[in-house]
Amino acid sequence: MKKYLVVGTGFSGAVLARQLVEHLPDCEIDIIDSRDHIGGNCHTERDAKTGIMLHKYGAHIFHTNRKDVWDYVNKFASFGNYKHRVIANTNRGIFSLPINLLTINQLFQKKMSPEEAKIFVRNLGDHTIHEPQNFEEQALKFVGKEIYETFFYGYTKKQWGCEPKELPASVLKRLPVRFDYNDNYFNDPYQGIPVNGYTDLIANIINHSRIHIHLNRPFIKESDSSKYNHIFYAGPIDGYYNFSEGRLSYRTIYFERIDAIGDFQGNSVINYTSMNENFTRLCEHKHFAPWESFETSVVYKEFSKETGESDIPFYPKHLVIDKEIFSKYNAIAMAEENISFIGRLGTYRYLDMHHVVEESLDFARTVIECIRSKSCIPSFSVK
Ligand SMILES: Cc1cc2nc3c(=O)[nH]c(=O)nc-3n(C[C@H](O)[C@H](O)[C@H](O)COP(=O)(O)OP(=O)(O)OC[C@H]3O[C@@H](n4cnc5c(N)ncnc54)[C@H](O)[C@@H]3O)c2cc1C
């Protein structure tokens, strides 16, 4: 029997472990996590007080345009029909997000058709900006001052902890406006939330006689490295190397819980876009499960901040210095033979759940081929 170690019980580690045991009959897998639960940042649990399913590390909605990914997760859980709609609480009033025809017509108190709105928004754009040098210029070029200040400036500043003009233009890649009344937050054809939560889904993925789960069990380099034929590591790559090349920077989030009676805000997520409030959004968890009903309610007020040494890293910042640091870790990792870095922390990228699932499905195929052909397993799940 070959023995493999998977570090991390989030989607990346769980899917990879499952694929390996299903296709390699002569292997056993230990999957470990330093936390006391499986599921990584997608972890959900029923609140002891109210029974409401809480997304403990922030709101998670599964969406994908890949049928194979959707079919895969549906093998392990039943998904409730949930369409994500977000509301913006701004200093100009309440609006629908993503910015759509309703948002534009209401903000400017007009009754424009899609074609009229396209011309209108095009004329709002700042045409003196030819090559946007930063996020702010990119937004001003696309949508002009009024939309930028109402929806983007404060929210971006709170989320990233810096002036939007200090962020790269690439953060806002496309025109962030729809010219119809579609307020479905995601464009993907497949969308939903597992009825029994993500932790139950992931528990089902790793429920296999040759996968052994160990919680409250941090990776110990000195002893673990020699015990396994190969290690798949979904933890932070800089931590694995004891920060020898420096720390990669992340933003983190933290929550304040509000207990309420009845319906607190009438929607799952409301973004607060102005600097009048110091938090970014309010998430009312029972609305993520519209198939359930509760008389009470639990709301998480979400704050964003720099990641301290004891905080959980959430969003990679990708500053110029981070790119330099990551390229050093990348070079060291590429020279290793018995470890592969996977998932959002191992590869230092923001990845949605469907990205992580599809990457682990694809990477598992590569790993299986390498093991069968006795060739070297790649150091990263991404090429
Ligand atoms: C606020 C927020 C909202 C999000 N919303 C969505 C959404 O709506 N839709 C969507 O598709 N995606 C969303 N995401 C992204 C989603 O959380 C990630 O795609 C997913 O968590 C990535 O899974 P992973 O396995 O790579 O990492 P993780 O879930 O972080 O799992 C890594 C695991 O490794 C463990 N670990 C780390 N180091 C060690 C170590 N040294 N020893 C042992 N264990 C270790 C950790 O404890 C953790 O459990 C959101 C992310 C955030 C931050």
Side-chain angles (χ1 to χ4, degrees):
M1 278 283 181
K2 295 233 169 65
K3 283 206 85 174
Y4 301 115
L5 176 67
V6 173
V7 180
T9 60
F11 265 112
S12 60
V15 172
L16 183 65
R18 178 70 185 219
Q19 292 305 99
L20 296 187
V21 288
E22 284 209 341
H23 292 90
L24 300 168
D26 61 343
C27 81
E28 296 268 345
I29 294 188
D30 282 337
I31 183 164
I32 63 170
D33 207 297
S34 46
R35 298 182 191 173
D36 62 1
H37 60 76
I38 61 169
N41 273 12
C42 309
H43 172 55
T44 45
E45 69 184 32
R46 286 219 179 261
D47 181 40
K49 197 166 142 198
T50 62
I52 294 167
M53 187 66 84
L54 299 180
H55 297 213
K56 295 297 283 188
Y57 300 89
H60 277 74
I61 298 96
F62 200 97
H63 57 100
T64 177
N65 60 10
R66 260 178 66 166
K67 185 163 184 316
D68 62 330
V69 169
W70 185 240
D71 288 344
Y72 184 83
V73 290
N74 275 272
K75 277 199 305 189
F76 299 102
S78 145
F79 275 72
N81 189 5
Y82 173 85
K83 291 273 174 291
H84 196 41
R85 293 191 170 83
V86 178
I87 297 297
N89 181 315
T90 79
N91 55 13
R92 299 273 301 269
I94 301 284
F95 296 98
S96 156
L97 287 179
I99 300 169
N100 60 63
L101 197 46
L102 183 65
T103 323
I104 301 163
N105 273 329
Q106 288 184 334
L107 180 67
F108 296 99
Q109 299 197 4
K110 292 193 179 290
K111 295 179 177 176
M112 291 180 283
S113 69
E115 278 312 310
E116 287 166 342
K118 264 182 211 163
I119 297 166
F120 181 80
V121 171
R122 198 181 306 140
N123 289 336
L124 291 177
D126 184 338
H127 301 294
T128 63
I129 302 169
H130 298 293
E131 297 276 329
Q133 297 301 308
N134 54 57
F135 178 96
E136 180 164 293
E137 288 185 4
Q138 181 83 324
L140 291 172
K141 180 178 156 71
F142 276 148
V143 294
K145 196 165 182 287
E146 219 166 326
I147 293 182
Y148 169 67
E149 286 180 351
T150 308
F151 297 103
F152 293 97
Y153 174 75
Y155 193 82
T156 309
K157 188 170 171 177
K158 288 189 282 188
Q159 196 177 22
W160 292 101
C162 64
E163 287 295 327
K165 58 167 78 114
E166 293 171 50
L167 294 168
S170 57
V171 173
L172 201 64
K173 291 189 192 97
R174 278 172 283 124
L175 176 65
V177 177
R178 288 181 187 160
F179 295 102
D180 57 22
Y181 289 101
N182 175 14
D183 64 349
N184 187 343
Y185 200 76
F186 300 114
N187 288 317
D188 290 329
Y190 308 105
Q191 188 177 157
I193 292 183
V195 170
N196 293 325
Y198 291 99
T199 300
D200 179 77
L201 191 177
I202 293 177
N204 291 338
I205 295 177
I206 53 182
N207 179 14
H208 190 285
S209 58
R210 281 184 287 115
I211 298 179
H212 312 290
I213 305 161
H214 309 273
L215 297 179
N216 296 307
R217 163 67 163 86
F219 175 71
I220 306 162
K221 199 170 183 180
E222 298 68 36
S223 50
D224 286 332
S225 297
S226 55
K227 279 201 291 210
Y228 296 93
N229 292 82
H230 198 87
I231 295 166
F232 299 95
Y233 195 84
I237 187 166
D238 53 355
Y240 177 83
Y241 289 112
N242 209 11
F243 309 102
S244 63
E245 309 305 312
R247 272 179 194 274
L248 293 165
S249 63
Y250 287 88
R251 291 289 284 176
T252 191
I253 51 180
Y254 64 98
F255 309 97
E256 245 175 55
R257 174 178 167 139
I258 302 167
D259 281 278
I261 301 293
D263 192 354
F264 182 80
Q265 61 180 15
N267 197 48
S268 55
V269 177
I270 299 193
N271 288 1
Y272 282 73
T273 65
S274 90
M275 293 302 291
N276 296 340
E277 301 86 15
N278 60 351
F279 55 93
T280 50
R281 55 184 193 167
L282 293 183
C283 298
E284 187 168 6
H285 290 248
K286 69 179 177 184
H287 293 307
F288 292 119
W291 48 88
E292 298 184 349
S293 65
F294 297 93
E295 285 177 2
T296 50
S297 198
V298 178
V299 177
Y300 278 11
K301 189 184 268 190
E302 203 167 300
F303 299 84
S304 177
K305 72 173 189 83
E306 287 302 292
T307 305
E309 287 188 17
S310 58
D311 292 320
I312 298 171
F314 276 89
Y315 297 107
K317 287 179 75 176
H318 284 301
L319 304 174
V320 174
I321 178 77
D322 295 315
K323 290 182 183 159
E324 286 167 16
I325 293 173
F326 183 75
S327 72
K328 291 182 189 165
Y329 288 124
N330 188 75
I332 301 173
M334 292 299 271
E336 304 243 28
E337 287 195 348
N338 74 337
I339 181 156
S340 304
F341 293 92
I342 63 171
R344 64 182 194 98
L345 297 167
T347 62
Y348 190 56
R349 288 172 302 154
Y350 176 81
L351 297 170
D352 269 336
M353 294 179 280
H354 62 281
H355 293 129
V356 166
V357 172
E358 66 191 51
E359 208 162 281
S360 280
L361 288 174
D362 294 343
F363 187 53
R365 276 183 218 109
T366 308
V367 173
I368 292 159
E369 262 174 49
C370 292
I371 290 171
R372 285 184 180 148
S373 63
K374 297 195 168 50
S375 51
C376 205
I377 299 172
S379 304
F380 287 95
S381 54
V382 56
K383 284 185 189 111

